[in-house]
Amino acid sequence: MLVYVFLLPLSTAAMNLDLQTYHSAVLDDQGKFKVNWMHQENTITFLLQVETLGYVGFGFSPNGAMAFSDIVIGGVIRGKPYFQDYFTDGKRALHKDPQQNFELEYAIENGTHTTLKFSRPFQTCDLHDRNITESTVRVIWAYHANDIDGTGPTYHGSNRGQKSLRLLNPKKNNFISAETSSFNFTNLDVPIPNKDTTYWCQMFKMPVLDKKHHIIKVEPLIQNGHESMVHHILVYECNRDAGDTVLEYGHECYHPNMPDVFLTCETVLYAWAIGGEGFTYPPHVGLSIGTSTDPTYVLMEVHFDNPSHQQGLIDNSGIKLYYTPHTRKYDAGVLEAGIWVSLYHMIPPGMPAFSSEGHCTVECLEEALNHENPDGINVFAVLLHAHEAGQVLRARHFRKGEEQELLAYDEAFDFNFQEFKYLEKERTILPGDNIITECQYNTQSRSTMTWGGLSTRDEMCLSFLIYYPKINLARCESIPEINEQLQFIGIKEIYKPVTSWPFIIKSPKRYNNLTFTEAMNTFQWSKKKGNSFNERVRQIPINVRCSKHESGEWAVQGMLLSPPEVKKAYRAEELPCPAQSSLSSSVSASRATSLMLAICTVLHYK
């Protein structure tokens, strides 16, 4: 049954006012399909504006494809709106959903566009619907020049696509006055090498100011056509005595011939990753510049991902920073937490779900916070970061051993879409707390080990916590102790002193003269052995990284500690839903029931 509603008169001004409280995204390259959305309590509302006078399709997919998707199709024909809730099966066949959980508010056409506004609960308890959570959502879209006829929608052809979005990110005021000053850090005709992975570094000097200012917004400036190639951009604070001569040229990062001064740039000031938008600081916080203790020189690191080894590419990507003399109450800081990027981070091949944990330990946080600010720091945004094998990411918060609500999570991580999660409520991190960054990987398609490293085919497990007030703590990370990892495959002794990297195995004989990476790849991995290794690696001692700004270290840096026991796992969980047969098939009953059932999703302890 098609669902019809009476169309109430709407002025253009009213619609524009409507959108001021909405998130928005353009889903296609031509700018023809725009989605706006907002959420309140347990309901999300969408407003689609599509350049067509035919039907419009919109939905949620498990992986960006049509199979097992939750879809609505609507439009206006002969002045009357139509709107229908559908789902697809494993063969991508379209079926009408007997339980209608989307509520159409209006559908209108002008001479060029169709506009649909509709809403639904986050969770409907309909087996054919996909729940909407704080995780990444794969949105799928389609449209056609013709409306639906009696036989159903005509195939949309190439007018379709998918895009990842964080639908439940809190709405932030991104407005910046046209008079707000700004400056850019951009590559200058950087040749992208025709190799898989390149990290390019360029140093810049901050503007010379006569007093303290605050950076209040940062935007990525990605060169057209390079959106899939510029994987991430990091901006680091460097030694204040670097000197202007370092500004004359860029160089490949982590290269033996790079300038030594690059090694002094360790504290992250800003992080952006592929698919993300700009970052706007809340009204009471800004990134301080212009004082004697603020950065004079910064290093911008751009990660180019070029798996097809394209040649002759020239890049001018970078970032734009908006700043103001009207300073806010607090200075912002960035804390990098998770797994210390190293070959000691190992993930066996053929694993559907291998979990790694990076520890920001009680010892590190206690030392730094008690010295810097015993009242703690307030986290207001988190960026979770992994590479291609990443599937599920979580930033977990503990206080005196008891797990708190998750800082951030993504149960459907998309490597090509990494966006800051603004926290609905700021979270205070106190002395005695600890943070675990947990990453679950899928390596089923891989035949060799996956290592911690810089390439997108390597892995990382990081969470960047944006907080205030700024303290002298740059990194709070860990890495599993290497010897006990190697003992799992039977390695007994290495050659000492260590004179090469990766270091060489001495015994047993079957691994003699192999590097430890070659030995790990020689081992005959299976899913069972991989699970046993996973259990072992989460229990063995960890090396602590607890570093200050400008290459300093806290006393606990390098300590070998046992990882904390985790008794409870805090995660998103669905409570049982009522029997589907008890739901009325009528539109009015399904709408009322949907609102009532929206409370089914809660976060709780397992």
Side-chain angles (χ1 to χ4, degrees):
M1 171 184 289
L2 294 181
V3 181
Y4 291 91
V5 300
F6 290 105
L7 181 62
L8 298 177
L10 292 167
S11 68
T12 302
M15 287 180 58
N16 291 335
L17 181 64
D18 198 17
L19 295 181
Q20 291 180 7
T21 58
Y22 281 65
H23 298 271
S24 65
V26 177
L27 302 188
D28 64 320
D29 295 335
Q30 292 77 39
K32 295 184 176 183
F33 200 120
K34 184 176 182 180
V35 57
N36 309 274
W37 73 95
M38 60 93 68
H39 54 89
Q40 237 173 357
E41 296 181 350
N42 295 309
T43 300
I44 187 164
T45 300
F46 296 95
L47 192 147
L48 310 181
Q49 297 169 306
V50 186
E51 190 177 328
T52 184
L53 299 181
Y55 75 75
V56 172
F58 179 82
F60 315 112
S61 164
N63 53 19
M66 275 287 289
F68 301 113
S69 293
D70 175 15
I71 299 170
V72 290
I73 298 177
V76 179
I77 187 168
R78 292 184 291 277
K80 291 185 177 182
Y82 59 92
F83 191 76
Q84 175 72 48
D85 187 355
Y86 291 91
F87 68 91
T88 57
D89 58 26
K91 297 181 179 180
R92 300 180 296 174
L94 193 66
H95 304 276
K96 292 181 180 179
D97 193 332
Q99 182 179 325
Q100 295 292 296
N101 295 304
F102 289 87
E103 181 176 350
L104 180 65
E105 295 190 28
Y106 60 76
I108 59 175
E109 284 183 352
N110 59 20
T112 58
H113 285 68
T114 296
T115 299
L116 303 175
K117 184 178 181 183
F118 54 90
S119 59
R120 58 154 278 189
F122 296 166
Q123 178 172 322
T124 63
C125 292
D126 181 348
L127 296 177
H128 301 306
D129 288 350
R130 303 198 64 81
N131 294 336
I132 296 172
T133 70
E134 293 183 20
S135 299
T136 297
V137 177
R138 272 71 166 182
V139 167
I140 57 174
W141 58 270
Y143 64 90
H144 196 279
N146 299 326
D147 286 297
I148 292 180
D149 58 24
T151 60
T154 306
Y155 179 62
H156 44 65
S158 61
N159 297 326
R160 62 177 175 84
Q162 65 95 16
K163 188 178 182 70
S164 289
L165 297 172
R166 298 289 287 272
L167 294 175
L168 299 190
N169 234 350
K171 178 64 176 175
K172 296 296 179 182
N173 182 10
N174 295 323
F175 174 76
I176 295 292
S177 168
E179 288 76 37
T180 303
S181 300
S182 66
F183 58 93
N184 297 345
F185 293 151
T186 56
N187 288 329
L188 182 59
D189 295 332
V190 171
I192 302 177
N194 62 331
K195 62 179 183 178
D196 184 85
T197 297
T198 302
Y199 281 70
W200 184 262
C201 285
Q202 171 75 52
M203 289 189 71
F204 297 90
K205 191 173 185 178
M206 284 290 192
V208 178
L209 304 170
D210 59 357
K211 63 177 182 178
K212 179 173 180 171
H213 288 61
H214 268 148
I215 293 172
I216 57 175
K217 183 177 181 179
V218 187
E219 288 181 346
L221 301 173
I222 309 303
Q223 181 170 323
N224 289 339
H226 290 187
E227 290 82 2
S228 64
M229 189 167 294
V230 179
H231 178 263
H232 73 245
I233 298 174
L234 293 176
V235 178
Y236 297 91
E237 178 180 353
C238 301
N239 192 312
R240 293 187 187 87
D241 301 323
D244 289 356
T245 57
V246 299
L247 307 176
E248 296 176 358
Y249 63 95
H251 199 283
E252 188 169 343
C253 315
Y254 313 108
H255 190 280
N257 296 329
M258 76 177 188
D260 290 341
V261 70
F262 285 11
L263 298 174
T264 73
C265 310
E266 292 197 27
T267 301
V268 175
L269 295 176
Y270 175 72
W272 171 89
I274 187 168
E277 298 180 350
F279 183 81
T280 302
Y281 290 87
H284 55 297
V285 185
L287 185 63
S288 180
I289 59 173
T291 76
S292 60
T293 58
D294 289 330
T296 301
Y297 299 94
V298 299
L299 180 139
M300 183 176 75
E301 172 190 292
V302 181
H303 175 189
F304 296 114
D305 186 34
N306 188 12
S308 59
H309 295 196
Q310 297 182 59
Q311 300 186 26
L313 298 174
I314 303 296
D315 184 73
N316 292 279
S317 300
I319 57 172
K320 177 185 285 289
L321 303 99
Y322 296 86
Y323 67 105
T324 176
H326 306 296
T327 56
R328 276 89 183 271
K329 185 175 181 179
Y330 299 105
D331 293 339
V334 181
L335 175 60
E336 181 182 313
I339 297 179
W340 195 337
V341 179
S342 166
L343 288 176
Y344 294 173
H345 179 199
M346 310 178 190
I347 307 166
M351 299 300 295
F354 186 94
S355 292
S356 299
E357 294 177 350
H359 296 269
C360 179
T361 64
V362 170
E363 292 79 4
C364 178
L365 286 175
E366 275 195 336
E367 183 182 8
L369 289 172
N370 281 329
H371 185 276
E372 295 282 302
N373 191 37
D375 292 333
I377 57 175
N378 302 290
V379 178
F380 58 88
V382 180
L383 176 66
L384 299 171
H385 181 66
H387 287 173
E388 288 184 336
Q391 300 287 300
V392 177
L393 279 60
R394 303 183 184 101
R396 305 170 64 186
H397 177 205
F398 296 80
R399 176 160 297 160
K400 296 181 179 179
E402 291 295 322
E403 187 159 14
Q404 311 298 299
E405 184 178 350
L406 291 167
L407 270 171
Y409 69 91
D410 194 344
E411 306 288 325
F413 176 73
D414 182 354
F415 164 75
N416 291 309
F417 177 75
Q418 303 188 41
E419 185 175 65
F420 273 102
K421 165 64 179 173
Y422 293 97
L423 304 192
E424 196 77 53
K425 295 181 180 179
E426 295 177 354
R427 183 74 61 83
T428 301
I429 307 297
L430 296 171
D433 291 3
N434 66 289
I435 299 165
I436 299 177
T437 304
E438 180 183 297
C439 299
Q440 186 180 103
Y441 303 101
N442 184 327
T443 60
Q444 284 183 295
S445 63
R446 302 185 181 190
S447 58
T448 58
M449 294 289 293
T450 297
W451 308 98
L454 301 176
S455 168
T456 53
R457 263 58 66 188
D458 296 330
E459 269 308 329
M460 293 185 180
C461 182
L462 297 172
S463 53
F464 295 93
L465 278 55
I466 317 300
Y467 70 91
Y468 70 87
K470 184 179 179 181
I471 62 171
N472 195 9
L473 179 60
R475 288 184 169 94
C476 186
E477 300 169 327
S478 73
I479 191 72
E481 198 273 331
I482 184 61
N483 289 326
E484 292 203 31
Q485 291 193 77
L486 299 182
Q487 288 172 10
F488 181 85
I489 68 167
I491 292 175
K492 297 180 179 179
E493 188 177 7
I494 67 172
Y495 282 103
K496 294 183 178 179
V498 174
T499 58
S500 62
W501 183 256
F503 57 74
I504 309 298
I505 306 303
K506 185 175 182 180
S507 67
K509 185 176 180 180
R510 66 181 181 274
Y511 297 133
N512 179 248
N513 288 328
L514 297 180
T515 66
F516 79 84
T517 54
E518 291 170 336
M520 293 295 284
N521 274 322
T522 299
F523 186 72
Q524 297 298 306
W525 291 99
S526 64
K527 184 178 177 181
K528 183 178 180 180
K529 293 176 182 176
N531 286 331
S532 296
F533 180 68
N534 198 178
E535 185 175 349
R536 169 81 67 86
V537 82
R538 295 169 73 176
Q539 296 174 350
I540 63 177
I542 54 174
N543 285 289
V544 173
R545 188 180 199 185
C546 188
S547 62
K548 301 179 181 180
H549 301 160
E550 297 194 31
S551 305
E553 297 176 352
W554 290 99
V556 299
Q557 171 90 2
M559 286 183 63
L560 196 63
L561 300 172
S562 296
E565 287 188 24
V566 178
K567 300 178 181 178
K568 299 175 181 177
Y570 194 91
R571 66 189 187 93
E573 180 86 3
E574 297 169 22
L575 293 178
C577 291
Q580 299 297 316
S581 59
S582 66
L583 300 175
S584 169
S585 60
S586 71
V587 174
S588 58
S590 66
R591 288 177 184 169
T593 305
S594 296
L595 290 172
M596 192 167 56
L597 294 178
I599 60 172
C600 286
T601 300
V602 294
L603 291 172
H604 70 96
Y605 288 102
K606 183 181 178 183

